[in-house]
Amino acid sequence: MSKRTLTASLVTVLALGAATACSGSGSAASASGGSGGTPTVRLMVGGIDKQIYLPYQLAQNLGFYKKYGVNVVLSTEQDGGTGAEEAMASGQVDMAGAWYNHTIDFQVKGKAVEDVVQLSGAPGEREMCGAKSGVHSAADFKGKTLGVTDLGSGTDTLTQFLAAKKGVKTSDFHRIGVGAGSTAIAALQNGKVACVMTTQPTVAAIEKKGVGYSAVDVATTSGAKAATGGAWPAAGVIARTDWVNAHKDAVQRVVDALVATMHWIDKHSAADIAGKLPQSFVQNQLVTKADYISALTQDKGQFLPDGIMPAGGPKNVLATEELVGHATSKVDLGTTFTNDFALKANKKEGFTTTTTPAGAAG
């Protein structure tokens, strides 16, 4: 996912972490803690203050990275900067908190990238449309200008897929990048776009301001199944396969921490979760804390409870990529993700798993 708009306070909070994340001499070196040492892993998130990406920071605040013996240096992509997935692919960071579909895109480009733990079974997004847009489903996209985070981003791909599912060609409507947060709201409010695909807390802000309404729900696993025909795994941790193979212990520790976080999310309320996140995430110029909690209560169903890639999910995402013309060559789904680390993490703590794992064919 690309280019997120952050509040000024969030940028301040993350400045030190981002500087640290970019100061290492090399990706491989950063994950080596020496014999018996604590490995350091640099993880850039595609918009760390967005609800769809909350597990990464929550794991830090719950002390789970420390508990499982890994020093995770979190950073976030910013508007106009390098996307998290691109920073990972180029070695600027070790891992990316980004959408699973990027692993397919990278394979088509000849780069081996894999998803090592899956945090959501749905994109966590909603198609928010202006009151006078006349859009009530993707079938109404024809002739409209639609806002996405960035052209080529996950929201862009998903918008095209939803249209294609309703028989609307990409050439039948126009897409422009509007970012997220205040810029997305302004684009909708000023009539620059008829609709915008966005996530919480921007969704809650749009509804509270009376700027628009939710026309298509792909925010929860049930919503994604209704709109796309199955689970649509989005947020996860992706990394270069060569890096994963060279740093399996560090990867396992990161996955252990995030799997523990997913079980914690599953067992706690939205209010409990909000109480463990930075103040700037849950209360800012877009939303009040009450708004944030309400929005998370509504869309909490996007999160998988055990970090396991769900059966059928990779196939559904591949179908999306093929339909919009991104997957232009044969894709080996079995190399785009692994459940090995998540299954070991669940077994280690005796967690009960409820997600049916995807097999090699997705």
Side-chain angles (χ1 to χ4, degrees):
M1 215 58 199
S2 297
K3 306 351 177 238
R4 306 287 179 168
T5 301
L6 302 176
T7 63
S9 58
L10 177 59
V11 173
T12 301
V13 168
L14 293 173
L16 179 59
T20 303
C22 295
S23 65
S25 60
S27 179
S30 69
S32 60
S35 178
T38 300
T40 293
V41 174
R42 298 168 297 168
L43 195 163
M44 180 182 283
V45 183
I48 201 168
D49 61 337
K50 304 307 178 188
Q51 281 193 4
I52 58 172
Y53 290 135
L54 71 83
Y56 308 103
Q57 185 66 52
L58 182 61
Q60 189 83 279
N61 290 9
L62 290 173
F64 285 167
Y65 295 131
K66 182 177 181 180
K67 175 181 177 180
Y68 291 100
V70 60
N71 176 35
V72 174
V73 180
L74 293 172
S75 60
T76 189
E77 65 179 47
Q78 300 183 32
D79 281 346
T82 302
E85 69 281 356
E86 295 296 342
M88 172 275 301
S90 65
Q92 295 176 49
V93 294
D94 307 309
M95 293 176 152
W99 280 15
Y100 162 70
N101 72 301
H102 292 301
T103 67
I104 295 174
D105 294 339
F106 278 123
Q107 186 174 128
V108 172
K109 297 173 183 176
K111 298 180 180 180
V113 172
E114 62 188 85
D115 183 303
V116 297
V117 59
Q118 189 57 37
L119 308 184
S120 70
E125 306 278 347
R126 291 178 183 271
E127 192 71 38
M128 301 300 294
C129 299
K132 298 179 180 180
S133 66
V135 177
H136 299 286
S137 79
D140 302 319
F141 285 177
K142 191 171 184 178
K144 306 294 184 181
T145 296
L146 305 177
V148 297
T149 311
D150 286 291
L151 294 180
S153 67
T155 55
D156 187 18
T157 299
L158 193 56
T159 297
Q160 295 175 69
F161 180 59
L162 293 175
K165 291 283 282 186
K166 293 295 185 179
V168 180
K169 299 177 181 178
T170 302
S171 58
D172 290 335
F173 59 97
H174 185 55
R175 307 169 343 268
I176 61 173
V178 297
S182 58
T183 56
I185 295 172
L188 190 62
Q189 192 167 27
N190 298 334
K192 188 176 181 179
V193 296
C195 307
V196 60
M197 181 170 285
T198 192
T199 184
Q200 300 287 9
T202 307
V203 166
I206 289 172
E207 292 176 333
K208 187 173 183 179
K209 291 175 179 289
V211 175
Y213 59 89
S214 175
V216 183
D217 167 22
V218 281
T220 61
T221 302
S222 59
K225 287 180 178 178
T228 72
W232 208 98
V237 174
I238 63 177
R240 298 188 319 279
T241 297
D242 63 345
W243 189 89
V244 172
N245 290 338
H247 302 91
K248 289 188 176 181
D249 177 63
V251 174
Q252 187 64 62
R253 295 180 191 214
V254 171
V255 174
D256 287 347
L258 286 169
V259 165
T261 301
M262 301 319 292
H263 282 281
W264 193 94
I265 290 172
D266 187 50
K267 302 299 183 184
H268 288 78
S269 69
D272 291 336
I273 296 167
K276 294 294 185 180
L277 292 172
Q279 183 74 8
S280 60
F281 285 28
V282 302
Q283 186 172 350
N284 49 53
Q285 72 265 33
L286 290 181
V287 291
T288 64
K289 189 171 184 178
D291 292 333
Y292 186 95
I293 292 171
S294 176
L296 182 55
T297 300
Q298 182 181 20
D299 290 349
K300 187 168 173 271
Q302 70 191 271
F303 295 115
L304 297 170
D306 43 31
I308 294 171
M309 177 65 77
K315 285 183 179 179
N316 198 28
V317 174
L318 177 59
T320 305
E321 298 291 303
E322 291 174 336
L323 195 58
V324 302
H326 288 180
T328 55
S329 59
K330 183 175 175 58
V331 172
D332 180 1
L333 283 178
T335 62
T336 63
F337 70 93
T338 177
N339 275 319
D340 291 350
F341 296 105
L343 290 171
K344 287 179 182 177
N346 280 285
K347 184 177 180 179
K348 177 179 181 179
E349 293 294 346
F351 291 134
T352 299
T353 60
T354 55
T355 303
T356 301

